[in-house]
Amino acid sequence: MTDIVGFSEPYRTHRDQLVIRTGLYQALEHAFHQAGVLWNECYHEDRGDGVLVLAPPHIPKEYFATRLPRALAAEIAHHNAEHPETARIRVRLALHAGEITFDAHGVSAPALVHAFRLIDAPAFKKELVTSSVLVGIVVSSWYFDEVIQQLRTHVPSDYRRIRVHGKSTIAIAWVTCVHRTTRELITASPSVVHLESHRVGRHRLYP
């Protein structure tokens, strides 16, 4: 789940918001491709100032914690370098997993409710106070224990534990940020990984 930081700030015009929405979708599609995830194989739902994305279960969940954040930050850096301050993007990214049910109106699941609570957590939003943070990431306790802690990299040590309070939710989550500068991200060359396309079921476990 992604959410644009300060999307409705008064200094942004409606035209700025339209530019930002277009830029976010372009950044997500390119970043997913670079991370080895086929965008068209995922379910995505527009949230106005963000996007909900559900990935099929055969895609390794670690891709979203390791490959995607840096690729997304690089794409956002490209967008920001070409637009004025009022149309620049910074995003919050929430990662969780669970059983998802599709119905005639879209998708529903307790896991989705929890992801929304994570991305709206005040303690997480404080992580993006500095302008150098292009992508802030919050992951559920389950995602941290079952995915990130199992990585043989430096990634687990990059996360900080927070408490999530709000709307009858009290939980533990873990946060980190992409602090690289715009110049460093633009000059980076993320590798492109290709995945074989598979059929996606309607009731599956999604990261």
Side-chain angles (χ1 to χ4, degrees):
M1 184 177 298
T2 63
D3 186 42
I4 299 167
V5 177
F7 181 75
S8 59
E9 289 292 335
Y11 65 82
R12 299 194 198 273
T13 65
H14 181 50
R15 182 180 295 275
D16 290 330
Q17 293 176 337
L18 292 175
V19 170
I20 289 170
R21 281 171 50 80
T22 299
L24 176 63
Y25 273 95
Q26 291 177 344
L28 284 171
E29 287 195 46
H30 294 161
F32 267 60
H33 178 65
Q34 292 166 12
V37 182
L38 298 175
W39 177 256
N40 291 335
E41 199 175 49
C42 300
Y43 171 91
H44 37 88
E45 185 176 291
D46 187 79
R47 308 298 301 182
D49 60 350
V51 186
L52 167 66
V53 183
L54 304 178
H58 65 266
I59 298 176
K61 294 177 180 62
E62 67 184 69
Y63 287 7
F64 298 94
T66 56
R67 300 177 179 182
L68 181 63
R70 179 176 170 79
L72 181 58
E75 292 298 328
I76 290 174
H78 277 287
H79 170 93
N80 290 350
E82 298 174 353
H83 292 87
E85 181 67 31
T86 55
R88 291 176 184 167
I89 302 172
R90 294 194 298 134
V91 301
R92 290 185 290 269
L93 173 66
L95 301 176
H96 187 39
E99 292 291 340
I100 305 296
T101 299
F102 289 80
D103 60 23
H105 309 288
V107 292
S108 178
L112 293 180
V113 174
H114 190 63
F116 278 112
R117 299 292 183 265
L118 294 179
I119 207 164
D120 286 334
F124 173 45
K125 290 183 177 181
K126 288 181 181 178
E127 297 291 322
L128 277 77
V129 172
T130 62
S131 59
S132 64
V133 177
L134 295 182
V135 178
I137 308 155
V138 60
V139 305
S140 65
S141 181
W142 183 95
Y143 205 97
F144 185 80
D145 292 340
E146 300 297 329
V147 181
I148 295 172
Q149 284 278 57
Q150 309 308 316
L151 299 175
R152 296 181 180 276
T153 67
H154 67 284
V155 172
S157 64
D158 293 339
Y159 283 78
R160 186 174 70 82
R161 185 175 181 269
I162 65 168
R163 292 185 65 84
V164 177
H165 295 271
K167 295 185 178 180
S168 72
T169 296
I170 300 177
I172 297 299
W174 297 82
V175 299
T176 189
C177 298
V178 179
H179 287 281
R180 299 290 296 280
T181 66
T182 298
R183 181 178 297 276
E184 289 173 324
L185 287 164
I186 288 177
T187 56
S189 301
S191 59
V192 176
V193 181
H194 298 281
L195 288 182
E196 181 182 356
S197 177
H198 298 278
R199 186 177 299 276
V200 182
R202 295 290 288 175
H203 301 277
R204 305 289 290 278
L205 179 68
Y206 287 80

